[in-house]
Amino acid sequence: MKKLCMSAILAMFSVSALQIAQAATSNTTSHHPLSPYHHYKKKVYRKAKKVAVAPAAQPIPEGAETWQCADHQTMYIAGNMKRDAVLTMHWDGKNYKLPRQQTTTGADRFHDVASGMDLVVIPDKGMLFSDKSGERIADDCKTSAMAHENIAAPTQSSILLKAGK
């Protein structure tokens, strides 16, 4: 009888010791959402993701004319709007090549399908649209001569207006 009781006590002791040992090892290597190791690894990953380097801004094209827009926005246009088939526009740190598009309204339109940038210039002002967002990005854009001296925009449409008079 003594041997049977002693065996039962020894078996219970070894089972409880085994459960404690398993719990201790599972807490150090567990990927349970509440384990300290899991949170540390996640925080390091988030920090590394936030440190991503932003692309460098492209330089303003040489000889570009400054256009001031409503809401204190600025765009720079390089090229001759009266005769060039492609203009370079600097907007929001990027340069865009905008080819001329034919219009029936007399407005000058420069549109790049790849970037979605659409520049429309009428004698009074310039407007910049985005095909991707479907909105007008900039409005009432004028050169300093247009704003202060009431000169029409340097477009083909202004030449057509003068020829028609």
Side-chain angles (χ1 to χ4, degrees):
M1 183 76 171
K2 282 185 178 182
K3 287 183 181 181
L4 183 62
C5 283
M6 202 56 146
S7 298
I9 292 173
L10 185 61
M12 287 185 349
F13 178 75
S14 61
V15 168
S16 64
L18 181 63
Q19 288 175 346
I20 292 171
Q22 283 179 347
T25 54
S26 67
N27 281 342
T28 58
T29 59
S30 172
H31 292 288
H32 189 271
L34 300 177
S35 73
Y37 177 74
H38 183 70
H39 287 296
Y40 174 74
K41 196 171 187 179
K42 205 170 202 177
K43 286 180 185 175
V44 170
Y45 175 74
R46 285 184 184 152
K47 268 189 179 176
K49 195 170 187 176
K50 287 181 183 177
V51 179
V53 178
Q58 296 176 342
I60 297 170
E62 192 173 317
E65 190 172 22
T66 305
W67 289 62
Q68 292 295 327
C69 305
D71 297 331
H72 306 290
Q73 298 168 316
T74 304
M75 73 175 156
Y76 303 91
I77 298 176
N80 189 330
M81 203 171 285
K82 292 180 182 179
R83 62 177 157 80
D84 288 350
V86 178
L87 294 180
T88 302
M89 179 188 67
H90 183 83
W91 174 261
D92 199 26
K94 296 179 185 175
N95 291 330
Y96 299 94
K97 298 286 186 186
L98 303 174
R100 181 182 297 277
Q101 302 292 314
Q102 296 295 324
T103 64
T104 58
T105 62
D108 285 0
R109 181 176 180 217
F110 299 90
H111 182 241
D112 179 30
V113 177
S115 66
M117 291 300 205
D118 191 4
L119 176 65
V120 178
V121 182
I122 58 176
D124 295 340
K125 65 180 180 177
M127 299 164 282
L128 183 62
F129 299 89
S130 172
D131 290 348
K132 293 182 180 180
S133 67
E135 297 177 358
R136 187 180 303 189
I137 300 172
D139 190 20
D140 202 26
C141 300
K142 297 179 180 184
T143 64
S144 60
M146 290 171 63
H148 302 299
E149 301 169 21
N150 292 331
I151 296 175
T155 62
Q156 286 183 349
S157 61
S158 61
I159 296 170
L160 294 174
L161 288 175
K162 288 179 185 177
K165 289 183 180 181

